[in-house]
Amino acid sequence: MKLDDIKFTDGNLQRRKILNRLMLSLCTIAAVLSVAPLLYVFFYTTFSGISALNIDFFTQLPKPVGETGGGMANSIIGTLILVTIGSLIGIPVGILSGIYVAEYSNNIFSNIIKFVTDVLSGIPSIIIGIFAYGVVVLTMGGFSALAGGFALGIIMIPTVTRTTEEMLKLVPVNLREASLALGVSRWKTSLKIVLKTASTGIITGILLSIARVAGETAPLLFTSFGNRFMSYSLTEPIDSMPVRIFNYAISPFEEWHKLAWAGAFILIFLIFILNLVVRFITRDKYSINN
Amino acid sequence: MKVILDTELKFEEHQKLKGKDSSKFAITTTDLSVHFGLKAAIKKINLKIRRNTVTSIIGPSGCGKSTLLRSLNLMHELTPRTKVTGTIKILDKDITEYDVINLRNKVGMVFQKPNPFPKMSIYENVISGYKLSGKNPSESFDDIVERCLIHSALWDEVKDRLNKPAISLSGGQQQRLCIARTIAINPEIILMDEPTSALDPLSTMKIEKLIHDFKNDYTIIIVTHNMQQAARVSDFTAFMFIGDLVEFDKTKKLFTVPTVKLTEEYITGKFG
Ligand SMILES: Nc1ncnc2c1ncn2[C@@H]1O[C@H](COP(=O)(O)OP(=O)(O)OP(=O)(O)O)[C@@H](O)[C@H]1O
Ligand SMILES: [Mg+2]
């Protein structure tokens, strides 16, 4: 085609403008559709839960059926403990295997890891729970915080591995080479250059996986089980917010329904705060704009 | 003829000045070949590079210049399915006898695209070789930073903002920062792969001047597509073509009276 063949006629321009506007509106509608449920959930939970929120909610233990009031202090602490155990297992294992897969990607073993993480990330969390039951609960002889944390950690591993791998692969080759050419070992290069450059993305991935496991219910049902009382012990059953919300939500008592909403609200709020904190931590110290 | 004598003289002078050992050659390759998979990128290269000289490697795109350069600091280790055969002697020791980290401390590299570490300041970039590998230098970090930035002709431009991010510098300044970073670890050989191809003429001139000044302290190999540059900065020139080393001679001679027809055709712009 010669340049002369291309005609910039008005008709063509008109058509392109209309098409452009059409596509743009479709994109806008899609964007709104994807945000709408999130906003709806957020506001609905806030609206339904806020009335049950008071100091007692954070300081009191659950009350038996029939008594009014009470709170979820034990569940909040329990969730924090479970998520911490899960993170202690899931984050290091996930990051290290992510590094391994990304940086040493040309051997059979790393391909196996890749395959296994893919499969693992598709396994329903309840099955991970059964696995944890078999491995930890049965060997330790009872439900425990450790078993719950273990299950959450296993669920975190594939997400963390995958994000780490993907973020590391985004780091330009020339940065790696710059470091290696200075006589820095491969391992230190991975850790201090590649990982550091990719840290923002990796932290975001970790955060998402924490947010995900913080709301996991199924794998906790037969690992950490639940506990009406405050427990800090790793070898005892422990309460958690999702499990308590679940139990309250399926109960026939109006009072408990309210508490369940309040719990859901707090859970969402915690995740929201977590996001803000990470954004703050990972803001680019060296962006040219500041 | 006079030119050739000049180079010889300079070389002897440098040896005396530096009191180096008798060895004249910084790099010797024997039948050096590199294969990527089944494809040969360079074939049986025999090259002897004298100490404290500047050697340029020229040749059309894809002829294996980078491949040759990168085999000299074992950069191919990272590329899968790469086979390196033949021998390389660096400073009179076979390359296989070196620990790769020691080798790269002796053989520094400057890349085509300026690549300062983006999450580090100017200051941190200069001492990054120490900081990243956890080595301790014999002088203080402040001294190293000042000396290397002066040496790479960047000091005056950045001395008031050493703690600013390195990526706030211009491309030419970034490349000089990369040079400063390389000389900070006291290499004896510096490999440069088209170090000015991404830069403006003024920055290019500054770096060429640096290369000229560096001759007293380092052995330099520079890959370039710019034949004027090769003629300006180097004592020796190697011309490569599809993986072969076609001609290797004193720069003046290669550019005025090349012995191989192919070389003549290339430098007169008949192809390439
Ligand atoms: N990692 C690699 N895998 C496979 N082939 C490669 C690889 N790197 C280089 N090659 C091939 O080896 C040959 C030489 O490449 P090299 O990069 O050394 O050329 P060059 O002379 O530096 O070219 P240029 O002037 O464009 O930089 C080319 O044919 C190239 O396709
Ligand atoms: Mg090249």
Side-chain angles (χ1 to χ4, degrees):
Chain A
M1 190 153 67
K2 281 185 307 195
L3 198 60
D4 297 350
D5 296 341
I6 306 169
K7 294 243 164 23
F8 297 98
T9 60
D10 263 349
N12 236 336
L13 185 68
Q14 208 58 34
R15 225 192 74 217
R16 285 208 309 265
K17 271 188 172 166
I18 292 173
L19 200 64
N20 184 34
R21 215 166 288 160
L22 184 73
M23 291 316 286
L24 191 64
S25 6
L26 283 180
C27 290
T28 316
I29 291 171
V32 170
L33 279 182
S34 65
V35 178
L38 182 75
L39 288 179
Y40 183 74
V41 167
F42 191 72
F43 285 114
Y44 194 82
T45 353
T46 313
F47 178 74
S48 320
I50 207 105
S51 64
L53 268 186
N54 48 36
I55 278 293
D56 282 357
F57 181 86
F58 298 98
T59 56
Q60 299 289 307
L61 294 179
K63 287 266 163 66
V65 186
E67 291 178 41
T68 53
M72 288 196 186
N74 57 335
S75 326
I76 296 174
I77 296 292
T79 283
L80 290 181
I81 292 178
L82 287 170
V83 169
T84 307
I85 301 172
S87 303
L88 288 179
I89 298 169
I91 295 174
V93 175
I95 289 185
L96 292 178
S97 54
I99 294 180
Y100 187 84
V101 173
E103 302 282 294
Y104 301 83
S105 57
N106 41 52
N107 66 39
I108 295 174
F109 190 54
S110 77
N111 280 330
I112 294 176
I113 297 181
K114 233 170 29 201
F115 181 72
V116 170
T117 14
D118 278 348
V119 173
L120 194 60
S121 68
I123 293 179
S125 56
I126 192 156
I127 303 210
I128 307 278
I130 296 173
F131 170 68
Y133 178 83
V135 172
V136 187
V137 177
L138 289 185
T139 45
M140 284 180 50
F143 300 117
S144 65
L146 226 45
F150 176 77
L152 297 187
I154 301 280
I155 295 172
M156 286 176 81
I157 289 174
T159 328
V160 178
T161 305
R162 259 311 150 85
T163 14
T164 306
E165 183 202 341
E166 250 129 60
M167 290 303 134
L168 292 185
K169 291 211 159 139
L170 285 182
V171 176
V173 180
N174 65 28
L175 280 188
R176 277 168 230 257
E177 292 193 334
S179 172
L180 292 170
L182 284 172
V184 181
S185 68
R186 225 170 137 182
W187 181 241
K188 281 181 179 155
T189 299
S190 296
L191 221 57
K192 295 187 183 170
I193 293 297
V194 184
L195 202 60
K196 205 169 161 194
T197 311
S199 59
T200 312
I202 294 174
I203 291 175
T204 310
I206 289 173
L207 187 86
L208 287 176
S209 70
I210 289 181
R212 181 182 160 199
V213 297
E216 279 291 351
T217 320
L220 296 181
L221 289 171
F222 32 81
T223 49
S224 62
F225 191 63
N227 191 337
R228 275 195 46 219
F229 305 99
M230 185 64 88
S231 163
Y232 298 101
S233 161
L234 298 186
T235 51
E236 297 286 315
I238 199 167
D239 220 43
S240 60
M241 296 187 69
V243 172
R244 184 139 303 267
I245 292 169
F246 172 72
N247 285 330
Y248 278 3
I250 59 171
S251 77
F253 311 110
E254 188 56 32
E255 187 75 18
W256 281 11
H257 289 174
K258 269 204 186 138
L259 281 170
W261 280 117
F265 170 73
I266 292 299
L267 208 51
I268 293 179
F269 188 70
L270 282 179
I271 291 166
F272 181 71
I273 295 290
L274 210 59
N275 264 293
L276 285 185
V277 168
V278 164
R279 293 220 159 216
F280 181 73
I281 296 170
T282 56
R283 75 194 187 293
D284 203 347
K285 179 165 76 155
Y286 281 149
S287 91
I288 298 179
N289 305 328
N290 65 29
Chain B
M1 203 56 206
K2 179 161 182 304
V3 181
I4 298 166
L5 279 175
D6 257 9
T7 328
E8 291 286 347
L9 265 179
K10 254 188 213 148
F11 175 74
E12 299 301 334
E13 262 170 36
H14 291 150
Q15 291 309 300
K16 261 187 227 141
L17 268 173
K18 298 213 39 162
K20 281 233 168 102
D21 59 308
S22 59
S23 151
K24 274 189 178 180
F25 298 107
I27 300 171
T28 313
T29 72
T30 322
D31 288 343
L32 175 66
S33 303
V34 177
H35 287 80
F36 295 113
L38 291 176
K39 188 172 167 290
I42 55 174
K43 296 170 260 179
K44 304 227 168 195
I45 304 281
N46 290 292
L47 203 59
K48 283 177 171 238
I49 299 207
R50 296 186 164 208
R51 285 195 177 193
N52 296 77
T53 58
V54 179
T55 303
S56 54
I57 304 179
I58 60 169
S61 191
C63 67
K65 305 181 293 294
S66 302
T67 306
L68 171 61
L69 207 63
R70 292 162 62 86
S71 57
L72 300 178
N73 67 343
L74 296 179
M75 227 39 178
H76 290 309
E77 272 190 350
L78 278 190
T79 329
R81 307 204 312 126
T82 307
K83 204 176 85 206
V84 181
T85 52
T87 57
I88 304 173
K89 262 176 136 183
I90 305 273
L91 306 167
D92 280 326
K93 219 164 96 177
D94 196 275
I95 200 163
T96 53
E97 286 172 36
Y98 284 95
D99 168 52
V100 63
I101 289 170
N102 277 334
L103 175 79
R104 289 179 185 152
N105 283 333
K106 287 209 155 56
V107 186
M109 189 167 214
V110 178
F111 297 82
Q112 177 171 7
K113 233 177 96 203
N115 54 1
F117 298 118
K119 296 222 166 183
M120 294 186 191
S121 66
I122 296 170
Y123 186 98
E124 288 167 323
N125 257 284
V126 179
I127 54 169
S128 54
Y130 295 100
K131 274 285 151 85
L132 292 172
S133 53
K135 269 185 320 184
N136 283 320
S138 46
E139 2 164 27
S140 78
F141 283 139
D142 285 349
D143 289 346
I144 294 181
V145 170
E146 185 168 347
R147 175 173 59 80
C148 295
L149 286 177
I150 289 175
H151 226 63
S152 59
L154 191 60
W155 178 250
D156 290 333
E157 289 159 65
V158 302
K159 62 170 183 277
D160 300 321
R161 48 175 178 148
L162 290 175
N163 291 316
K164 288 269 152 50
I167 47 173
S168 68
L169 297 174
S170 76
Q173 291 172 327
Q174 286 185 18
Q175 192 65 305
R176 276 177 283 150
L177 180 63
C178 292
I179 293 175
R181 173 177 77 185
T182 304
I183 58 177
I185 49 174
N186 295 320
E188 306 210 16
I189 299 167
I190 303 179
L191 310 172
M192 298 181 162
D193 196 347
E194 304 183 40
T196 63
S197 66
L199 306 182
D200 64 289
L202 201 68
S203 305
T204 301
M205 220 178 69
K206 284 189 179 158
I207 287 180
E208 284 182 10
K209 181 158 183 314
L210 277 184
I211 294 173
H212 189 80
D213 297 342
F214 275 0
K215 235 194 304 185
N216 291 337
D217 303 308
Y218 312 100
T219 306
I220 296 176
I221 306 184
I222 174 174
V223 168
T224 177
H225 273 287
N226 181 334
M227 277 180 268
Q228 283 81 21
Q229 181 169 68
R232 278 194 301 263
V233 302
S234 64
D235 307 306
F236 295 88
T237 297
F239 169 59
M240 293 181 67
F241 187 72
I242 331 184
D244 288 311
L245 176 62
V246 177
E247 190 165 354
F248 176 53
D249 214 325
K250 303 228 160 68
T251 299
K252 281 276 158 60
K253 173 144 186 297
L254 190 133
F255 277 106
T256 48
V257 276
T259 45
V260 185
K261 186 103 198 311
L262 202 60
T263 316
E264 190 186 329
E265 284 174 0
Y266 184 70
I267 59 177
T268 51
K270 291 223 172 76
F271 72 96

